[in-house]
């Protein structure tokens, strides 16, 4: 009996010491986290938002991609071409070093906008090709590479890339090829790969065009049930910032003239409300709780153009009703500016890449810009009850809205901007504007429209060989002609052989200070109306 009592005492003492050790370790970890928490970032749940102190190794310069990779490491890519691993040099749970893995620039490649891995091999989608890299001697650096797939048209346009790479259970590689609709130097595309989603055979020798009518798909991810989802940007037939579910053979709305769809456009399964410009997407594992979000889709947002404080993360819960209908609900996760991608790590934390400051084409203008965040689930934090996030939550009087709507129709806004789905006009649609931009941002865009121009909305000046000058926006292009939308929303076809010169315009096609002659009261009514468009 005495021996049994001593064993129980020793066992209890061991468990106490073990719990004390775990508690001390957790407290030490929390102290480490507190050093790197970013107070400017806003979380909408029990998450600590840490700004990773990457101070060693590769210089961080506009990271465009982040993904889990071989060995359980998180990999990232600079816009300039460097591919690197995020390393924890002092084993404190916080990555502080970027170890170079390879550089696609060494192979003459550009725009590393896609990342996927199979076993120990990494596949990088670029402007020119998908290239495979492998680290044979296991020293952390790729020592062998080869072209995996290159049967795509390419030009020097900075928006051309292969992105959204992911492997399916069939061992095939799925990827999205950016549209060529706005490219004045578009290359011949006999297979219609640009503006389409491709399924590439495991050996890279064959490709199948699965769906068409996409614009700029930066992120694709497989749902645990096997469905492939992808996010696309508003513009050129896409009415909203949207989430789509892949249905083979379907057309998704962009560049109808090129693909000439024979049936109706496949509608998005969700129109994002939280932010603009969805970039990377990834499904959380069904085994990773992460604050009750197992199996949910996480979405990174870049935010509107050069508005450097905009961007964030949302999650989407996808469920199926008994009828079989898919139901989707969007929730905010965090406000973090200029996110280009996100990925879950092996520890269950969510990593996000912030692109930082860049030029109009997203090219580097600083020696170092951007960085990485790590969202750590902490059940001790009080869960915020806010379930919806909107840039604008104001309410307006009916008289102000009526007056504002009348002003919208009489100040030339009506001529170039639609507020509902329908014919594409010269300027971006204003539907949902109140969810996308603050009152200050709307006013700034009206008074100084050239300060920030949405990509693909820039003007082009074309001089013909007969001396005629045309000014408008390219809405379609191929190797033979341009479709140019002129002021007044009239589209003309311009044959390339008739062109003497063309020049991209640095100024918006919209007049500056369009409402400066209105009284202050009238300006406020117009802004009320524009803010109410949700």
């Amino acid at each position: 009996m005495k021996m049994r009592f001593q064993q129980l005492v020793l066992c209890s003492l061991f468990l106490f010491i073990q719990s004390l050790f775990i508690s001390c370790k957790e407290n030490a970890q929390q102290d480490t986290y507190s050093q790197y928490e970013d107070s400017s970032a806003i979380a909408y749940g029990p998450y600590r938002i840490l700004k990773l102190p990457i101070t060693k190794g590769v210089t961080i310069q506009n990271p465009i991609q982040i993904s889990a990779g071989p060995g359980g490491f998180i990999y990232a890519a600079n816009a300039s071409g460097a591919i690197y691993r995020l390393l924890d040099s002092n084993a404190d749970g916080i990555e502080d070093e970027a170890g170079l893995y390879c550089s696609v620039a060494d192979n003459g490649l550009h725009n590393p906008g896609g990342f996927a891995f199979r076993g120990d091999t990494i596949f990088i989608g670029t402007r020119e090709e998908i290239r495979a890299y492998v680290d044979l001697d296991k020293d952390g650096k790729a020592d062998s590479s080869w072209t995996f797939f290159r049967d795509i048209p390419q030009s020097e346009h900075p928006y051309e890339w292969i992105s959204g790479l992911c492997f399916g259970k069939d061992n095939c590689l799925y990827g999205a090829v950016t549209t060529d609709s706005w490219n004045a130097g578009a290359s011949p595309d006999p297979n219609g790969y640009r503006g389409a989603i491709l399924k590439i055979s495991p050996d890279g020798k064959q490709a199948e065009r699965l769906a068409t009518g996409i614009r700029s798909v930066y992120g694709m991810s497989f749902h645990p049930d096997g469905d492939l989802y992808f996010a696309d940007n508003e513009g050129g037939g896409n009415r909203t910032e949207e989430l789509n579910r892949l249905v083979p053979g379907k057309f998704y709305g962009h560049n109808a003239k090129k693909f000439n769809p024979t049936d109706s456009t496949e509608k998005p399964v969700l129109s994002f409300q939280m932010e603009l410009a969805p970039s990377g997407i990834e499904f959380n594992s069904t085994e990773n709780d992460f604050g009750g979000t197992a199996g949910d889709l996480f979405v990174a947002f870049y935010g509107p153009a050069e508005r450097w404080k905009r961007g964030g993360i949302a999650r989407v819960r996808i469920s199926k009703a008994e009828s079989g209908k898919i139901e989707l609900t969007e929730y905010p996760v965090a406000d973090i500016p200029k996110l280009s991608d996100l990925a879950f790590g092996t520890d269950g934390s969510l990593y996000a890449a912030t692109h930082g400051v860049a030029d109009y084409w997203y090219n580097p203008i600083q020696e170092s810009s951007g960085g990485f965040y790590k969202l750590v689930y902490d059940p001790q934090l009080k869960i915020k009850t806010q379930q919806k996030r909107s840039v604008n939550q104001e309410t307006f009087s009916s008289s102000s809205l009526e007056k504002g709507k009348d002003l919208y129709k009489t100040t030339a806004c009506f001529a170039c901007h639609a507020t509902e789905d329908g014919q594409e006009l010269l300027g971006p649609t204003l539907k949902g504007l109140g969810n996308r931009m603050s009152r200050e941002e709307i006013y700034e865009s009206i008074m100084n429209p050239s300060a920030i121009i949405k990509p693909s909305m820039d003007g082009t000046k074309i001089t013909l060989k007969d001396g005629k000058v045309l000014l408008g926006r390219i809405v379609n292009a191929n190797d033979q002609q341009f479709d140019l939308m002129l002021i007044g929303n009239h589209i003309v076809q311009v044959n390339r052989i008739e062109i003497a010169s063309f020049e991209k315009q640095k100024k918006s096609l919209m007049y500056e200070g369009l409402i400066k002659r209105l009284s202050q009261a009238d300006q406020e009514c117009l802004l009320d109306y524009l803010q109410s468009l949700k």
Side-chain angles (χ1 to χ4, degrees), residues 148-170:
F148 177 73
F149 182 75
R150 194 172 184 171
D151 187 21
I152 55 171
Q154 59 146 316
S155 73
E156 298 300 315
H157 196 279
Y159 281 0
E160 288 193 359
W161 45 58
I162 304 172
S163 53
L165 297 185
C166 54
F167 278 99
K169 293 181 180 180
D170 55 7

Side-chain angles (χ1 to χ4, degrees), residues 118 123 147-151 173 200-207:
R118 184 175 61 192
F123 299 80
T147 296
F148 177 73
F149 182 75
R150 194 172 184 171
D151 187 21
L173 181 61
I200 304 170
S201 61
D203 59 6
K205 294 181 179 180
Q206 297 179 342

Side-chain angles (χ1 to χ4, degrees), residues 126-184:
T126 69
R127 187 171 74 194
E128 297 86 0
E129 65 179 47
I130 300 174
R131 193 168 187 87
Y133 294 86
V134 64
D135 173 18
L136 296 174
D137 61 9
K138 308 300 181 184
D139 66 349
K141 295 182 179 181
D143 42 35
S144 179
S145 73
W146 62 94
T147 296
F148 177 73
F149 182 75
R150 194 172 184 171
D151 187 21
I152 55 171
Q154 59 146 316
S155 73
E156 298 300 315
H157 196 279
Y159 281 0
E160 288 193 359
W161 45 58
I162 304 172
S163 53
L165 297 185
C166 54
F167 278 99
K169 293 181 180 180
D170 55 7
N171 214 26
C172 291
L173 181 61
Y174 294 75
V177 189
T178 308
T179 182
D180 53 7
S181 66
W182 53 51
N183 186 351

Side-chain angles (χ1 to χ4, degrees), residues 195-489:
I197 290 176
L198 304 184
K199 175 183 176 181
I200 304 170
S201 61
D203 59 6
K205 294 181 179 180
Q206 297 179 342
E208 175 186 356
R209 196 179 75 174
L210 286 184
T212 59
I214 67 167
R215 185 175 181 270
S216 297
V217 173
Y218 302 102
M220 298 199 299
S221 186
F222 278 99
H223 187 276
D225 69 4
D227 285 341
L228 181 60
Y229 285 80
F230 61 94
D232 207 349
N233 284 218
E234 178 270 334
N238 292 349
R239 300 305 181 189
T240 63
E241 311 286 331
E242 59 188 42
L243 178 66
N244 298 281
R245 183 172 65 92
L246 179 70
V247 179
K250 290 295 185 178
F251 172 75
Y252 282 85
H254 177 73
N255 204 356
K257 182 174 181 178
K258 175 176 181 175
F259 296 107
N260 192 25
T262 57
D263 56 2
S264 61
T265 298
E266 184 73 10
K267 294 182 179 179
V269 294
L270 179 70
S271 292
F272 292 116
Q273 299 299 312
M274 177 176 164
E275 252 295 3
L276 290 177
S279 47
I281 70 173
E282 182 167 334
F283 278 100
N284 185 17
S285 166
T286 55
E287 300 176 355
N288 182 32
D289 180 71
F290 197 62
T293 66
D296 287 354
L297 179 69
F298 283 73
V299 184
F301 292 91
Y302 185 84
E306 293 100 328
R307 299 193 185 280
W308 305 117
K309 296 182 179 180
R310 293 284 297 275
I313 301 174
R315 69 177 174 91
V316 179
R317 174 148 294 175
I318 302 175
S319 57
K320 288 185 178 180
E322 292 183 0
S323 63
K325 181 181 179 181
I326 297 176
E327 298 178 348
L328 300 95
T329 309
E330 181 183 6
Y331 301 95
V333 175
D335 290 338
I336 305 174
K338 290 288 164 277
L339 295 185
S340 56
D341 200 6
L342 48 68
F344 278 97
T346 55
D347 65 351
S349 298
L350 181 63
Y351 292 78
T354 176
H355 189 258
V357 178
D359 67 9
Y360 175 80
W361 300 107
Y362 305 129
N363 293 319
I365 58 175
Q366 299 178 358
E367 291 185 4
S368 177
S369 186
F372 303 96
Y373 287 88
K374 183 175 183 176
L375 277 67
V376 178
Y377 169 57
D378 186 347
Q380 298 180 16
L381 294 177
K382 181 179 179 181
I383 299 177
K384 298 187 178 182
T385 58
Q386 181 176 357
Q387 294 297 304
K388 292 185 178 181
R389 169 194 174 276
S390 177
V391 175
N392 301 306
Q393 299 183 15
E394 296 85 353
T395 57
F396 313 103
S397 68
S398 58
S399 60
S400 175
L401 294 180
E402 290 176 6
K403 177 67 171 178
K405 187 173 183 178
D406 290 339
L407 290 166
Y408 160 77
K409 292 180 178 180
T410 59
T411 55
C413 305
F414 180 76
C416 296
H417 298 275
T419 58
E420 298 293 340
D421 290 341
Q423 179 186 2
E424 180 179 359
L425 303 182
L426 187 66
T429 179
L430 301 184
K431 183 178 181 180
L433 182 66
N435 286 331
R436 304 196 303 264
M437 297 177 70
S438 69
R439 191 180 188 87
E440 292 74 18
E441 289 170 340
I442 295 172
Y443 180 76
E444 178 188 343
S445 296
I446 296 173
M447 299 302 291
N448 187 14
S450 297
I452 298 175
I453 303 175
K454 181 180 175 65
S456 80
M457 288 292 169
D458 51 338
T460 299
K461 178 182 177 182
I462 295 179
T463 303
L464 302 180
K465 292 178 180 179
D466 63 6
K468 186 177 181 179
V469 177
L470 302 173
L471 180 62
R473 176 171 67 87
I474 293 176
V475 293
N476 277 292
N478 58 40
D479 58 326
Q480 296 180 347
Q481 69 176 31
F482 299 116
D483 285 0
L484 189 71
M485 181 179 289
L486 307 179
I487 295 174
N489 308 305

Side-chain angles (χ1 to χ4, degrees), residues 7-120:
Q7 289 176 338
L8 290 173
V9 170
L10 289 174
C11 182
S12 298
L13 182 61
F14 172 78
L15 291 175
F16 173 75
I17 295 173
Q18 185 183 48
S19 65
L20 185 63
F21 172 77
I22 293 174
S23 178
C24 290
K25 184 176 180 180
E26 289 179 347
N27 289 335
Q29 185 69 79
Q30 298 300 331
D31 290 341
T32 300
Y33 286 164
S34 64
Q35 299 178 49
Y36 303 109
E37 286 190 272
D38 187 343
S39 60
S40 66
I42 300 174
Y44 295 94
Y47 306 113
R48 293 183 179 275
I49 303 180
L50 315 179
K51 184 70 178 293
L52 297 183
I54 308 292
T55 57
K56 306 173 185 176
V58 177
T59 299
I60 307 304
Q61 188 182 46
N62 301 118
I64 195 172
Q65 187 75 28
I66 188 170
S67 178
F73 292 100
I74 292 293
Y75 289 72
N78 282 347
S80 58
I83 313 296
Y84 45 91
R85 302 182 301 166
L86 303 188
L87 306 173
D88 180 4
S89 66
N90 58 4
D92 65 350
I94 303 296
E95 290 81 352
D96 56 5
E97 180 177 356
L100 181 66
Y101 179 78
C102 68
S103 177
V104 300
D106 293 342
N107 302 109
L109 306 178
H110 304 81
N111 295 353
F115 183 106
F117 75 100
R118 184 175 61 192
D120 292 335

